[in-house]
Amino acid sequence: MPDRQSHTRYVSGRQAAVAAIVREGKLLVIKRALTVRAPGKLCFPGGHIETGEHAAEAIVRELREELGVRAVAIAPLWVSTAPSGCQLHWIECKIVESELMLKPNPSEVHSVQWMTIEQLAEHPEVLTSNFSFLECVKSGKIRFRGEQPMVQTC
């Protein structure tokens, strides 16, 4: 991945990797399990970057842990800061073709859904830290290398 930020190994601070996965014009989102922070909220899969880990390594690990799939990190998309102060590294990912059957880890994920940007932007249970990302995708400031997510118009 060409972006220098995604190659940085983290040694301290609150850092997380977030996966943006597009299929048939929709983004993969999870509904968080009731036993984790922000229970029942919709968000993109991802999680904590461990000490010494690259963001791309973290997101591949998190997708395996949360959804039971093998994935590849395609490209860094954006870096933002959540309201909690955690720095979020948004990474475009792709699930390995033979791994399209998702097996959510019930201790972390209640359910998995594929949603358009508009469906996500209008959903009342979307995690607050996701709105800026959705706006940047809608406005074209964030572009995917692979398939583009569908933006519905009124």
Side-chain angles (χ1 to χ4, degrees):
M1 293 175 40
D3 182 86
R4 189 175 152 294
Q5 293 252 0
S6 64
H7 284 299
T8 304
R9 288 194 184 270
Y10 298 100
V11 293
S12 65
R14 293 173 39 207
Q15 307 278 335
V18 182
I21 302 170
V22 181
R23 189 181 80 193
E24 298 176 10
K26 295 183 178 182
L27 292 160
L28 177 70
V29 293
I30 63 168
K31 182 174 183 177
R32 292 176 175 224
L34 297 178
T35 56
V36 298
R37 183 182 296 175
K41 293 288 189 181
L42 285 179
C43 63
F44 294 91
H48 179 71
I49 298 172
E50 296 177 359
T51 301
E53 191 173 43
H54 293 290
E57 294 168 328
I59 199 58
V60 168
R61 175 185 49 75
E62 286 289 341
L63 288 167
R64 185 177 59 251
E65 290 172 5
E66 286 185 6
L67 301 175
V69 295
R70 283 186 307 129
V72 292
I74 296 172
L77 294 171
W78 192 46
V79 177
S80 65
T81 302
S84 66
C86 181
Q87 190 173 46
L88 304 176
H89 297 266
W90 299 79
I91 301 171
E92 181 178 3
C93 297
K94 182 173 180 153
I95 297 171
V96 175
E97 202 62 35
S98 64
E99 297 280 324
L100 287 178
M101 180 62 103
L102 303 171
K103 302 165 204 93
N105 176 345
S107 68
E108 295 188 46
V109 179
H110 177 269
S111 61
V112 178
Q113 301 172 49
W114 293 91
M115 300 176 79
T116 65
I117 292 170
E118 291 297 326
Q119 288 170 327
L120 277 167
E122 296 172 7
H123 200 286
E125 295 299 319
V126 171
L127 197 63
T128 305
S129 60
N130 290 210
F131 287 118
S132 296
F133 176 77
L134 295 171
E135 285 302 316
C136 286
V137 172
K138 283 171 60 174
S139 71
K141 291 178 184 173
I142 294 176
R143 297 186 186 274
F144 293 81
R145 289 187 182 185
E147 181 184 355
Q148 288 294 316
M150 183 185 316
V151 177
Q152 300 173 347
T153 56
C154 299

